[in-house]
Amino acid sequence: MTDDLIARRALGEVYRVSNRVDLHTFLLHAVEASGGHVLYASAEDRAPVFLGVQLDSDERIGMLVYPFRMTHNTIRNRPADEVRGQLRYGAEASWQVDHPVGRDIAGVDVTMILGIDISAGVILGLDANLWDPLPMGISFYAKESDIERARHDGWHVWEKVNKGGTKRTEARSPLHLETVVAFTPDRLIDYARLERRATSLHLDPPLRYAAATSMADRSRDDEHPHRHVLETQFALSSQQILDIIGGRKRLSVAVRGGVAEYHLEHYLAAAPGVASVVRLDMDAMHDFNVTLASGQMLRVECKNASPKRSANGHFKVEVQKTRSSKGDPASRFYVVDGFDVVAACLFSATGRWEFRFGRTDQMARHKIFPTASHLSK
């Protein structure tokens, strides 16, 4: 052990290592394969390895990696179909004391404990919450079938039993289970996102398992690396755009209407008997054309319900426009044949994105306009 700094940072124990150039190189290639660019890499003869990574989206991630080699050697009294890694840094005499894992106190950088199987081209991620402090001298294992599954699929998650042994009498996890993730190099950044989330939220093994399995299909990962087109156009982050919307009442109301239409579109598309849903983003037009399986087409207008109900408990919906044309108060109201169905979004009243529907031909006409050419609320 030395008192060296990594990337000019004090990260606890820094170890001198040898014969690990291939592991260091493997990590650098994994960053590039997973869509990142290495801005900085600490020395190959020191562990842990610090990597400063930039993505195409201009996001940057600091990775503090504890890499350990995994081999396919036969181990006496162990099953023949296992791949083995061993936590070995420093002299054996130092293994009797605790070796805490380095952490970024600000939570910006992510710490990862990785087993690297170079021959298979697979990385195995250990739960950094459970393996801190590092139990030096301890071996960890994976079945060859799990490594092969990861190599084939790119991302493989499983649970393994965790129990005490001769060096560690108590189970590492109170639940006697731990979640293991094995992945190919092109998923390294995805795993860094998982570990950052799991560490910051202190996910236990079952929650970590759920988070990891949800990321098996990278398109479902909720931390998309690319900026939204509006972030680029407005030169603002998504959080800044949301703050602007939340701080302006009329903007917030308009966005709530758009969100209601979004939920309605998905609700209608999944409804039985509906063949197709077409959203119309046009002035003076209804919101959706909905074609039923029978071939009938209905014109649907989406409206938000009032947060206050009527005295009898019924929901209230204003079926009218925001304002009327100058000199024509009747223009505030919709013509009877303007659309066929009103879809009332109940979020303001119930806090849930649910809907109630009404046929316009069954609605009462406005009393002030006896021609009955407009709808009342």
Side-chain angles (χ1 to χ4, degrees):
M1 285 183 293
T2 74
D3 294 325
D4 293 355
L5 300 181
I6 292 289
R8 297 184 180 178
R9 303 172 184 218
L11 295 170
E13 301 179 34
V14 178
Y15 307 89
R16 294 183 182 274
V17 296
S18 59
N19 300 321
R20 300 189 186 225
V21 175
D22 55 344
L23 298 183
H24 190 274
T25 302
F26 187 95
L27 287 173
L28 299 185
H29 289 166
V31 169
E32 300 289 340
S34 59
H37 175 65
V38 179
L39 298 176
Y40 173 86
S42 59
E44 58 195 24
D45 61 348
R46 297 289 187 275
V49 177
F50 184 85
L51 302 173
V53 178
Q54 180 172 329
L55 308 184
D56 290 340
S57 62
D58 202 33
E59 177 188 0
R60 297 187 179 188
I61 301 177
M63 301 181 183
L64 185 67
V65 182
Y66 290 83
F68 297 94
R69 189 185 306 277
M70 299 191 72
T71 65
H72 294 251
N73 299 332
T74 301
I75 307 298
R76 189 177 63 176
N77 299 325
R78 295 294 307 183
D81 62 341
E82 283 186 332
V83 182
R84 178 200 188 202
Q86 189 175 27
L87 305 183
R88 296 179 64 96
Y89 289 148
E92 291 190 25
S94 70
W95 294 355
Q96 305 306 314
V97 300
D98 285 344
H99 292 259
V101 169
R103 301 281 187 182
D104 176 11
I105 192 171
V108 177
D109 301 333
V110 58
T111 298
M112 295 182 285
I113 304 172
L114 304 179
I116 298 179
D117 184 347
I118 289 183
S119 63
V122 169
I123 305 170
L124 186 143
L126 300 177
D127 187 336
N129 286 329
L130 292 184
W131 289 78
D132 182 12
L134 288 170
M136 293 299 181
I138 294 291
S139 295
F140 57 96
Y141 300 89
K143 293 290 186 181
E144 289 186 345
S145 58
D146 288 317
I147 297 298
E148 177 59 25
R149 173 83 177 272
R151 191 188 67 80
H152 181 270
D153 295 344
W155 186 272
H156 176 46
V157 185
W158 70 95
E159 284 184 325
K160 62 180 299 184
V161 175
N162 181 275
K163 57 185 178 180
T166 56
K167 292 187 178 181
R168 175 178 45 81
T169 58
E170 295 183 359
R172 185 172 296 108
S173 166
L175 301 177
H176 296 274
L177 288 173
E178 63 179 290
T179 294
V180 184
V181 184
F183 53 95
T184 46
D186 61 309
R187 301 298 302 270
L188 176 63
I189 290 175
D190 291 333
Y191 182 78
R193 296 181 188 281
L194 169 67
E195 190 61 66
R196 181 168 60 186
R197 186 181 313 158
T199 299
S200 63
L201 298 178
H202 300 283
L203 299 184
D204 62 12
L207 291 177
R208 181 184 177 88
Y209 181 89
T213 53
S214 73
M215 294 175 63
D217 178 0
R218 69 180 65 195
S219 66
R220 295 179 58 190
D221 183 17
D222 58 9
E223 289 191 66
H224 298 295
H226 301 293
R227 301 184 75 195
H228 191 278
V229 63
L230 291 182
E231 293 181 273
T232 302
Q233 289 179 357
F234 297 158
L236 296 170
S237 68
S238 58
Q239 185 60 54
Q240 289 170 321
I241 295 172
L242 292 175
D243 287 341
I244 291 172
I245 294 172
R248 290 161 175 78
K249 183 177 180 180
R250 291 176 65 179
L251 265 179
S252 182
V253 171
V255 170
R256 192 179 300 121
V259 172
E261 292 176 15
Y262 176 89
H263 286 287
L264 176 60
E265 182 176 6
H266 285 73
Y267 178 88
L268 292 172
V274 172
S276 68
V277 179
V278 177
R279 183 168 61 88
L280 307 178
D281 188 14
M282 303 172 62
D283 291 337
M285 290 288 290
H286 52 282
D287 296 316
F288 298 97
N289 283 337
V290 179
T291 303
L292 304 182
S294 63
Q296 180 185 10
M297 197 271 284
L298 297 175
R299 299 165 299 168
V300 179
E301 178 74 10
C302 181
K303 289 293 181 181
N304 283 310
S306 169
K308 296 183 179 180
R309 303 191 190 193
S310 302
N312 59 7
H314 292 171
F315 297 107
K316 296 192 298 184
V317 181
E318 294 287 348
V319 186
Q320 56 186 20
K321 302 173 186 177
T322 306
R323 57 183 62 86
S324 60
S325 301
K326 187 176 181 180
D328 182 12
S331 63
R332 179 76 182 272
F333 306 100
Y334 291 101
V335 295
V336 173
D337 60 355
F339 44 87
D340 306 302
V341 176
V342 175
C345 177
L346 305 185
F347 177 81
S348 295
T350 67
R352 297 186 296 273
W353 296 102
E354 55 187 0
F355 299 88
R356 297 291 186 273
F357 300 89
R359 295 288 301 237
T360 56
D361 58 9
Q362 298 175 359
M363 293 182 179
R365 306 306 189 254
H366 201 287
K367 296 179 181 179
I368 299 178
F369 303 99
T371 58
S373 60
H374 298 78
L375 299 174
S376 68
K377 66 181 182 181

